[in-house]
């Protein structure tokens, strides 16, 4: 019987004057309610224990992983030779500068080749036409590829001189 049916029987028993039957239904209802509360408490305790066990398992796994990382770091630290690393980094920096110079030359050559093929004023007109159609205001006049290349070359040269000066200071120290 469901709780509602028991309550109805309990109500009928009270109405008909059967106090003994009503008392039995009331005792059963209270006992069932206490059982539900006890089972809920037990479930809570079991969940707490399961959570603690899971935490312990996770901590054991993390500890094992940390031990492996520490061993790996020890091996890496023993294998590190600061002089070799410094030499490799210097060579990398030198090769990177050479690549930067070659890339700059290539960009200059291709920008001047494409600039010769297309008139700059037509390019500017097309850009302004597209910007007007899209409702975009151009805040500054567009630079020609030659002007942009000159500006980029000046900035690249200044950066290169700064980097060379830093390398010279580092070598002196």
């Amino acid at each position: 019987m469901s709780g509602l049916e028991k309550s109805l029987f309990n109500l009928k028993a009270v109405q008909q004057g059967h106090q003994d039957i009503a008392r039995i239904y009331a005792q059963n209802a209270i006992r069932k309610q206490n059982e539900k509360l006890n089972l809920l408490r037990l479930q809570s305790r079991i969940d707490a224990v399961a959570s603690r066990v899971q935490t312990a398992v996770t901590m054991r796994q993390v500890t094992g992983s940390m031990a492996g990382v520490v061993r790996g770091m020890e091996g890496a630290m023993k294998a590190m030779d600061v002089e070799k690393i410094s030499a490799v980094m210097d060579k990398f920096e030198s090769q990177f500068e050479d690549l930067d110079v070659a890339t700059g030359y290539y960009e200059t050559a291709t920008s001047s080749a494409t600039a010769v093929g297309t008139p700059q004023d037509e390019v500017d007109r097309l850009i302004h036409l597209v910007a007007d159609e899209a409702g975009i205001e151009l805040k500054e006049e567009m630079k020609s590829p030659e002007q942009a290349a000159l500006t980029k070359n000046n900035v690249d040269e200044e950066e290169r001189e700064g980097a060379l000066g830093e390398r010279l200071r580092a070598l002196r120290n």
Side-chain angles (χ1 to χ4, degrees):
M1 268 189 233
S2 70
L4 179 61
E5 291 173 355
K6 289 179 183 179
S7 297
L8 290 176
F9 278 113
N10 191 12
L11 181 62
K12 285 181 185 178
V14 170
Q15 287 174 346
Q16 294 174 355
H18 301 293
Q19 294 296 327
D20 294 338
I21 295 173
R23 186 173 306 276
I24 292 171
Y25 278 120
Q27 289 172 348
N28 284 343
I30 290 171
R31 189 179 72 251
K32 289 291 183 186
Q33 182 64 28
N34 287 338
E35 285 177 5
K36 284 183 0 184
L37 290 174
N38 287 336
L39 288 174
L40 190 59
R41 283 188 196 107
L42 180 61
Q43 179 185 4
S44 174
R45 289 179 184 158
I46 290 172
D47 285 345
V49 170
S51 177
R52 288 181 186 147
V53 168
Q54 183 61 40
T55 300
V57 168
T58 303
M59 285 303 294
R60 186 180 62 200
Q61 290 172 346
V62 168
T63 303
S65 296
M66 286 175 59
V69 168
V70 167
R71 280 187 296 248
M73 287 175 63
E74 285 176 353
M77 292 299 288
K78 288 177 183 175
M80 289 178 96
D81 184 4
V82 178
E83 291 176 4
K84 286 181 181 177
I85 293 172
S86 177
V88 168
M89 291 302 293
D90 288 342
K91 186 170 184 166
F92 173 79
E93 202 172 307
S94 172
Q95 288 176 347
F96 184 76
E97 286 175 2
D98 293 345
L99 180 64
D100 195 31
V101 169
T103 304
Y105 175 76
Y106 174 75
E107 287 176 358
T108 303
T110 55
S111 68
S112 62
T114 56
V116 170
T118 56
Q120 187 61 36
D121 60 336
E122 288 180 24
V123 171
D124 291 341
R125 243 183 287 134
L126 180 60
I127 290 173
H128 284 286
L129 178 68
V130 170
D132 289 343
E133 287 177 5
I136 300 172
E137 267 187 53
L138 295 176
K139 294 186 180 186
E140 62 182 58
E141 289 299 317
M142 306 273 311
K143 294 181 181 177
S144 69
E146 294 85 14
Q147 292 171 336
L150 286 175
T151 304
K152 183 180 183 324
N153 286 341
N154 289 341
V155 170
D156 289 344
E157 187 64 31
E158 289 173 8
E159 288 177 2
R160 185 169 162 231
E161 287 178 10
L164 289 174
E166 288 177 25
R167 285 179 61 194
L168 180 61
R169 272 183 253 130
L171 289 173
R172 287 181 183 166
N173 293 333

